[in-house]
Amino acid sequence: MDKLQAEIEAIASQIEALQREREQLSIGAATPEGDSPQAIAEAYRRHARETAQLSAEVKGIDDAIAALSAQLSQKQQQSQNWQKLSPVEQAVEEGRMRAREHAERINELAAELAGEVKELKAIADRISPSYWQVYYKPFITGFKSISVPYVRSDGDVWTIVNRVV
């Protein structure tokens, strides 16, 4: 719960900082040098060229504020839902969140390990014939049953399976 509250405060603080930065960035209006259609068009084109980077930065800040506001709403909803839970339910939910973090890390490491195993197998496949000729034995054995763990969840039950590489 404290972690969630800290996340809410961090998001709100970031939104405030972005809003202050946004207020400091202002784009003035285009000022045509005459009333002719060509002068007006040229003034707006020149203004767009001169303020393109600033406009892009303002848009980026506005997009960041929108994304953070959505995330803040989600976290605030989670906080409200959290407060409705009993102490036992809170403990279970906290454990599930920690488990999810570990499961995601395991899956990242498994994907990385699977890539490394595939690279090793490719090297072994490439040099094994020559290795036999030089050393009269296999370079590496056991590639037929190499597997890495993978954690998945259907929402209620978590399952750890071994994926063959």
Side-chain angles (χ1 to χ4, degrees):
M1 180 61 179
D2 292 335
K3 181 181 177 186
L4 184 60
Q5 195 60 37
E7 289 175 1
I8 289 172
E9 291 171 9
I11 293 169
S13 173
Q14 186 64 45
I15 290 172
E16 289 174 18
L18 286 170
Q19 287 172 334
R20 284 192 302 274
E21 185 179 349
R22 172 65 169 90
E23 289 170 5
Q24 292 175 353
L25 299 174
S26 63
I27 301 172
T31 52
E33 295 175 5
D35 289 341
S36 73
Q38 292 83 7
I40 293 171
E42 181 56 36
Y44 278 96
R45 285 186 181 128
R46 185 178 59 255
H47 185 276
R49 280 191 301 271
E50 292 170 356
T51 61
Q53 184 175 350
L54 184 60
S55 296
E57 190 172 343
V58 167
K59 170 123 175 54
I61 290 172
D62 289 345
D63 291 348
I65 290 171
L68 288 170
S69 295
Q71 190 178 25
L72 179 63
S73 295
Q74 178 190 12
K75 297 286 183 183
Q76 288 172 333
Q77 184 64 38
Q78 283 178 340
S79 177
Q80 290 173 355
N81 292 342
W82 185 269
Q83 292 171 356
K84 295 176 186 177
L85 299 176
S86 71
V88 172
E89 290 172 320
Q90 286 180 0
V92 167
E93 288 304 313
E94 188 174 307
R96 284 179 66 183
M97 286 189 303
R98 286 197 326 267
R100 182 174 292 114
E101 290 170 5
H102 289 287
E104 288 171 358
R105 180 71 178 131
I106 287 169
N107 290 344
E108 287 172 11
L109 290 171
E112 188 177 329
L113 181 60
E116 293 295 326
V117 168
K118 287 177 183 177
E119 288 293 322
L120 180 60
K121 183 171 183 345
I123 292 168
D125 289 345
R126 192 171 52 250
I127 70 167
S128 283
S130 300
Y131 197 86
W132 269 104
Q133 290 176 354
V134 174
Y135 296 105
Y136 307 106
K137 55 182 134 185
F139 176 59
I140 297 178
T141 62
F143 274 116
K144 293 179 184 174
S145 62
I146 299 296
S147 63
V148 295
Y150 180 78
V151 183
R152 66 177 180 219
S153 172
D154 65 1
D156 295 326
V157 177
W158 290 61
T159 307
I160 299 175
V161 296
N162 289 319
R163 288 191 169 170
V164 176
V165 177

